[in-house]
Amino acid sequence: RSFAQSLLKLLGFIFWGGAAAQAFGGVLVILMFKNYSYLFQDSYLFLPGCLALAAALILLPTGALAVSISVKYSRNQQGTLMYLLLLLLCLEMSSAALAHSYHIRTVSQLESAMNSLVYQHNWTCSQDPGSSAVDAMQRKLQCCGVHSYTDWLKASASSWHLPACVPESCCKEKHLHCRGGLGHLEQLSQEGCLKKMEDKLCLAMLYMFWCCSVLSILELLAGVSSGILLRHRLFHDLHFL
């Protein structure tokens, strides 16, 4: 019983830290899909982030109840704690499953979406920096083309009116006089955007998956600890019989 009380108190403090970690993951996922919405066809892909934020908010009172119950017994508080733990478990497992599923599905869509952006983009050498979606993506990720800068050469080769150069958004930030010419490849970001975007997506989704999975296990431990205390208290209440 004393071990269950100590564990429940410790888990209560961990839940507060877990709430901050999960809120960070939820905001990270939502912002990523918001900033790169033109690459994702499905508008519901930010759902794991929303579930994570909801779970983070519920973790705060759950942690407070866990600490309170470990110090002073209250039947109402203990019942509320068990209901919150059950709700959290559902949210965490749903968020982890969606993060894993959406990661696999979205990675397969990225290449076709990026190819479409590259082949539909119009540019000319020595033009002012563009403001299209592909330009914004290349500047944010410091990349060029889908797999490499040569993707732009393939796009220009398929259309006679496009020049043999790359958009200015391929230029590295430190080279202010770069205009996308191929004479100075060292001034261009030669790594493709697909690899960088996949890494970014994988990092966010894996963080979300493992954060939710670990918190699910801790919530199960909290439920077991609370159940041990509740079982002991029930026998103690009936001791007078």
Side-chain angles (χ1 to χ4, degrees), residues 156-190:
S156 63
S158 63
S159 300
W160 63 271
H161 65 280
L162 291 179
C165 65
V166 297
E168 290 186 28
S169 55
C170 286
C171 296
K172 296 178 181 178
E173 291 182 348
K174 61 182 179 180
H175 297 291
L176 301 179
H177 301 290
C178 174
R179 291 295 179 266
L182 300 179
H184 301 280
L185 290 179
E186 71 280 357
Q187 297 181 356
L188 304 177
S189 301
Q190 300 183 32

